[in-house]
Amino acid sequence: KAGVTQTPRYLIKTRGQQVTLSCSPISGHRSVSWYQQTPGQGLQFLFEYFSETQRNKGNFPGRFSGRQFSNSRSEMNVSTLELGDSALYLCASSLNAGGPYNEQFFGPGTRLTVL
Amino acid sequence: DQQVKQNSPSLSVQEGRISILNCDYTNSMFDYFLWYKKYPAEGPTFLISISSIKDKNEDGRFTVFLNKSAKHLSLHIVPSQPGDSAVYFCAASVSNSGYALNFGKGTSLLVTP
């Protein structure tokens, strides 16, 4: 079974630009979450989508947004990029089979550098 | 506000010995705890988890202990192997509020031969 895939793997942008990152979950997984990893703050939760609806949101400004498509693939968008947005963006998928918690499977991440 | 803390950024252990990684949390609503392992250039990989109704969970060489009164959990790796060298993240969640994981900043474990 293929794992979580994220594209692109590396991205360089300049301040003020916007960027879209893509995530394809494991086949059959319906929940997709996004995380930002930086050296200073560690791994921080951005948002989670299930059945095309944002179910949970972390403490990030409105410049960070996302969406999920009917095939469970997800995109996240960052507008008006700032230097501090340079980070590894990780996507995780989960089966969401109805239990209190499902293990999350992470992709390799997209490394975003803002110049 | 860091609700999950891993106060040791790094740990070095000899092969064959026990590795103990520690994690503290502040939010008493957390009821599910996980450990993830991360190699460079890869995403975190799930290792082991524990529900707040338990105080111990074992999976092979890995055991997680939970002390709810102290809001503390630990991961024991016995015996440690060089392949265990990686960054270990502790994570916590409130199980009925979606799948948001609150991560610690990680502990880099080095297992030396």
Short mmCIF file of all heavy atoms in Angstrom, two decimals, chain B residues 47-78:
data_model
loop_
_atom_site.label_atom_id
_atom_site.label_comp_id
_atom_site.label_asym_id
_atom_site.label_seq_id
_atom_site.Cartn_x
_atom_site.Cartn_y
_atom_site.Cartn_z
N LEU B 47 5.29 4.97 16.75
CA LEU B 47 6.04 3.95 17.49
C LEU B 47 5.12 3.19 18.45
O LEU B 47 4.95 1.98 18.37
CB LEU B 47 7.16 4.64 18.26
CG LEU B 47 8.38 3.87 18.66
CD1 LEU B 47 9.02 3.18 17.47
CD2 LEU B 47 9.38 4.82 19.32
N ILE B 48 4.52 3.90 19.36
CA ILE B 48 3.71 3.28 20.40
C ILE B 48 2.79 4.33 21.01
O ILE B 48 3.11 5.53 20.97
CB ILE B 48 4.63 2.64 21.48
CG1 ILE B 48 3.83 1.73 22.43
CG2 ILE B 48 5.41 3.70 22.24
CD1 ILE B 48 4.71 0.85 23.33
N SER B 49 1.67 3.88 21.54
CA SER B 49 0.73 4.83 22.15
C SER B 49 0.20 4.28 23.46
O SER B 49 0.37 3.09 23.78
CB SER B 49 -0.43 5.10 21.19
OG SER B 49 -1.16 3.91 20.95
N ILE B 50 -0.46 5.14 24.20
CA ILE B 50 -1.09 4.71 25.45
C ILE B 50 -2.29 5.59 25.73
O ILE B 50 -2.26 6.81 25.53
CB ILE B 50 -0.07 4.75 26.61
CG1 ILE B 50 -0.68 4.14 27.88
CG2 ILE B 50 0.42 6.19 26.89
CD1 ILE B 50 0.34 3.84 28.97
N SER B 51 -3.36 4.94 26.16
CA SER B 51 -4.55 5.65 26.56
C SER B 51 -4.44 6.01 28.04
O SER B 51 -3.75 5.32 28.80
CB SER B 51 -5.77 4.76 26.33
OG SER B 51 -6.88 5.23 27.03
N SER B 52 -5.15 7.04 28.44
CA SER B 52 -5.05 7.48 29.83
C SER B 52 -5.68 6.50 30.81
O SER B 52 -5.51 6.64 32.03
CB SER B 52 -5.72 8.85 30.00
OG SER B 52 -7.07 8.78 29.64
N ILE B 53 -6.37 5.48 30.31
CA ILE B 53 -6.94 4.50 31.23
C ILE B 53 -5.89 3.44 31.62
O ILE B 53 -6.14 2.60 32.48
CB ILE B 53 -8.18 3.79 30.63
CG1 ILE B 53 -7.83 3.02 29.36
CG2 ILE B 53 -9.28 4.80 30.38
CD1 ILE B 53 -8.97 2.19 28.82
N LYS B 54 -4.74 3.49 30.97
CA LYS B 54 -3.66 2.56 31.29
C LYS B 54 -2.49 3.32 31.89
O LYS B 54 -2.38 4.54 31.75
CB LYS B 54 -3.19 1.84 30.02
CG LYS B 54 -4.24 0.95 29.39
CD LYS B 54 -3.63 0.21 28.21
CE LYS B 54 -4.61 -0.78 27.62
NZ LYS B 54 -4.02 -1.54 26.51
N ASP B 55 -1.58 2.58 32.51
CA ASP B 55 -0.36 3.22 32.97
C ASP B 55 0.89 2.62 32.32
O ASP B 55 2.00 3.10 32.55
CB ASP B 55 -0.24 3.17 34.51
CG ASP B 55 -0.35 1.76 35.05
OD1 ASP B 55 -0.18 0.81 34.28
OD2 ASP B 55 -0.63 1.62 36.26
N LYS B 56 0.68 1.62 31.48
CA LYS B 56 1.82 0.99 30.82
C LYS B 56 1.34 0.32 29.54
O LYS B 56 0.26 -0.27 29.49
CB LYS B 56 2.44 -0.04 31.76
CG LYS B 56 3.61 -0.83 31.20
CD LYS B 56 4.09 -1.85 32.22
CE LYS B 56 5.13 -2.80 31.63
NZ LYS B 56 5.56 -3.82 32.62
N ASN B 57 2.19 0.42 28.51
CA ASN B 57 1.92 -0.30 27.27
C ASN B 57 3.25 -0.76 26.68
O ASN B 57 4.19 0.02 26.61
CB ASN B 57 1.17 0.58 26.28
CG ASN B 57 0.69 -0.20 25.07
OD1 ASN B 57 0.45 -1.41 25.16
ND2 ASN B 57 0.52 0.46 23.94
N GLU B 58 3.29 -2.03 26.30
CA GLU B 58 4.53 -2.61 25.79
C GLU B 58 4.36 -3.06 24.35
O GLU B 58 3.32 -3.59 23.98
CB GLU B 58 4.89 -3.86 26.61
CG GLU B 58 5.70 -3.62 27.83
CD GLU B 58 6.05 -4.94 28.52
OE1 GLU B 58 5.21 -5.41 29.31
OE2 GLU B 58 7.14 -5.47 28.26
N ASP B 59 5.43 -2.89 23.59
CA ASP B 59 5.46 -3.43 22.23
C ASP B 59 6.90 -3.78 21.91
O ASP B 59 7.70 -2.93 21.53
CB ASP B 59 4.93 -2.39 21.24
CG ASP B 59 4.83 -2.95 19.82
OD1 ASP B 59 5.16 -4.15 19.62
OD2 ASP B 59 4.44 -2.21 18.91
N GLY B 60 7.21 -5.04 22.12
CA GLY B 60 8.58 -5.49 21.86
C GLY B 60 9.57 -4.80 22.77
O GLY B 60 9.45 -4.85 24.00
N ARG B 61 10.54 -4.13 22.18
CA ARG B 61 11.58 -3.47 22.98
C ARG B 61 11.11 -2.13 23.55
O ARG B 61 11.83 -1.50 24.31
CB ARG B 61 12.81 -3.24 22.10
CG ARG B 61 13.49 -4.51 21.61
CD ARG B 61 14.79 -4.20 20.88
NE ARG B 61 14.57 -3.41 19.67
CZ ARG B 61 15.02 -2.17 19.50
NH1 ARG B 61 15.70 -1.56 20.47
NH2 ARG B 61 14.79 -1.53 18.36
N PHE B 62 9.94 -1.70 23.15
CA PHE B 62 9.45 -0.37 23.54
C PHE B 62 8.33 -0.47 24.58
O PHE B 62 7.40 -1.24 24.42
CB PHE B 62 8.93 0.39 22.31
CG PHE B 62 9.96 0.53 21.22
CD1 PHE B 62 10.09 -0.42 20.22
CD2 PHE B 62 10.82 1.61 21.21
CE1 PHE B 62 11.05 -0.29 19.22
CE2 PHE B 62 11.79 1.76 20.23
CZ PHE B 62 11.91 0.80 19.23
N THR B 63 8.48 0.31 25.63
CA THR B 63 7.46 0.38 26.67
C THR B 63 7.20 1.84 26.99
O THR B 63 8.15 2.62 27.17
CB THR B 63 7.91 -0.35 27.96
OG1 THR B 63 8.21 -1.71 27.65
CG2 THR B 63 6.80 -0.32 29.01
N VAL B 64 5.93 2.21 27.06
CA VAL B 64 5.59 3.56 27.46
C VAL B 64 4.90 3.49 28.83
O VAL B 64 4.05 2.63 29.06
CB VAL B 64 4.71 4.28 26.41
CG1 VAL B 64 3.46 3.50 26.10
CG2 VAL B 64 4.37 5.69 26.85
N PHE B 65 5.30 4.36 29.71
CA PHE B 65 4.73 4.47 31.04
C PHE B 65 4.03 5.81 31.17
O PHE B 65 4.57 6.84 30.74
CB PHE B 65 5.82 4.37 32.12
CG PHE B 65 6.51 3.04 32.16
CD1 PHE B 65 7.67 2.82 31.42
CD2 PHE B 65 6.01 2.01 32.94
CE1 PHE B 65 8.32 1.59 31.46
CE2 PHE B 65 6.66 0.78 32.99
CZ PHE B 65 7.81 0.57 32.24
N LEU B 66 2.85 5.80 31.78
CA LEU B 66 2.11 7.03 31.98
C LEU B 66 1.83 7.24 33.47
O LEU B 66 1.29 6.36 34.13
CB LEU B 66 0.79 6.99 31.21
CG LEU B 66 -0.17 8.17 31.40
CD1 LEU B 66 0.46 9.47 30.93
CD2 LEU B 66 -1.49 7.91 30.67
N ASN B 67 2.20 8.39 33.97
CA ASN B 67 1.90 8.78 35.35
C ASN B 67 0.99 10.01 35.29
O ASN B 67 1.45 11.14 35.13
CB ASN B 67 3.19 9.10 36.10
CG ASN B 67 2.95 9.46 37.56
OD1 ASN B 67 1.88 9.94 37.92
ND2 ASN B 67 3.94 9.26 38.39
N LYS B 68 -0.31 9.76 35.37
CA LYS B 68 -1.27 10.85 35.18
C LYS B 68 -1.20 11.89 36.28
O LYS B 68 -1.36 13.08 36.03
CB LYS B 68 -2.69 10.30 35.09
CG LYS B 68 -2.99 9.63 33.76
CD LYS B 68 -4.40 9.11 33.72
CE LYS B 68 -4.59 8.09 34.81
NZ LYS B 68 -5.32 6.89 34.45
N SER B 69 -0.96 11.46 37.50
CA SER B 69 -0.92 12.43 38.61
C SER B 69 0.24 13.39 38.43
O SER B 69 0.14 14.57 38.77
CB SER B 69 -0.83 11.71 39.95
OG SER B 69 0.35 10.93 40.00
N ALA B 70 1.33 12.90 37.84
CA ALA B 70 2.50 13.77 37.61
C ALA B 70 2.47 14.39 36.23
O ALA B 70 3.35 15.19 35.90
CB ALA B 70 3.79 12.96 37.79
N LYS B 71 1.49 14.03 35.43
CA LYS B 71 1.42 14.47 34.04
C LYS B 71 2.75 14.20 33.33
O LYS B 71 3.38 15.09 32.75
CB LYS B 71 1.04 15.95 33.95
CG LYS B 71 -0.37 16.27 34.44
CD LYS B 71 -0.76 17.69 34.03
CE LYS B 71 -2.17 18.01 34.47
NZ LYS B 71 -2.31 18.12 35.93
N HIS B 72 3.16 12.97 33.40
CA HIS B 72 4.47 12.58 32.89
C HIS B 72 4.36 11.23 32.20
O HIS B 72 3.67 10.32 32.66
CB HIS B 72 5.46 12.47 34.07
CG HIS B 72 6.82 12.00 33.66
ND1 HIS B 72 7.79 12.86 33.19
CD2 HIS B 72 7.37 10.76 33.66
CE1 HIS B 72 8.87 12.16 32.91
NE2 HIS B 72 8.65 10.89 33.19
N LEU B 73 5.04 11.14 31.07
CA LEU B 73 5.17 9.83 30.45
C LEU B 73 6.61 9.62 30.01
O LEU B 73 7.38 10.58 29.85
CB LEU B 73 4.21 9.62 29.29
CG LEU B 73 4.27 10.45 28.03
CD1 LEU B 73 3.64 9.68 26.88
CD2 LEU B 73 3.49 11.75 28.19
N SER B 74 6.95 8.36 29.87
CA SER B 74 8.31 8.04 29.47
C SER B 74 8.28 6.86 28.49
O SER B 74 7.38 6.03 28.52
CB SER B 74 9.19 7.72 30.68
OG SER B 74 8.68 6.60 31.38
N LEU B 75 9.28 6.85 27.65
CA LEU B 75 9.47 5.76 26.69
C LEU B 75 10.76 5.05 27.04
O LEU B 75 11.82 5.69 27.15
CB LEU B 75 9.55 6.32 25.26
CG LEU B 75 9.89 5.31 24.16
CD1 LEU B 75 8.73 4.33 23.97
CD2 LEU B 75 10.21 6.02 22.85
N HIS B 76 10.66 3.74 27.26
CA HIS B 76 11.83 2.92 27.54
C HIS B 76 12.14 2.05 26.33
O HIS B 76 11.22 1.39 25.80
CB HIS B 76 11.59 2.04 28.78
CG HIS B 76 11.46 2.81 30.05
ND1 HIS B 76 11.86 2.29 31.27
CD2 HIS B 76 11.02 4.06 30.31
CE1 HIS B 76 11.64 3.19 32.22
NE2 HIS B 76 11.14 4.26 31.65
N ILE B 77 13.39 2.04 25.94
CA ILE B 77 13.82 1.19 24.84
C ILE B 77 14.87 0.24 25.40
O ILE B 77 15.93 0.68 25.87
CB ILE B 77 14.42 2.01 23.68
CG1 ILE B 77 13.44 3.10 23.23
CG2 ILE B 77 14.76 1.09 22.50
CD1 ILE B 77 14.03 4.06 22.18
N VAL B 78 14.54 -1.06 25.39
CA VAL B 78 15.46 -2.05 25.95
C VAL B 78 15.49 -3.31 25.06
O VAL B 78 14.44 -3.89 24.81
CB VAL B 78 15.03 -2.49 27.37
CG1 VAL B 78 16.05 -3.46 27.96
CG2 VAL B 78 14.83 -1.30 28.29
#
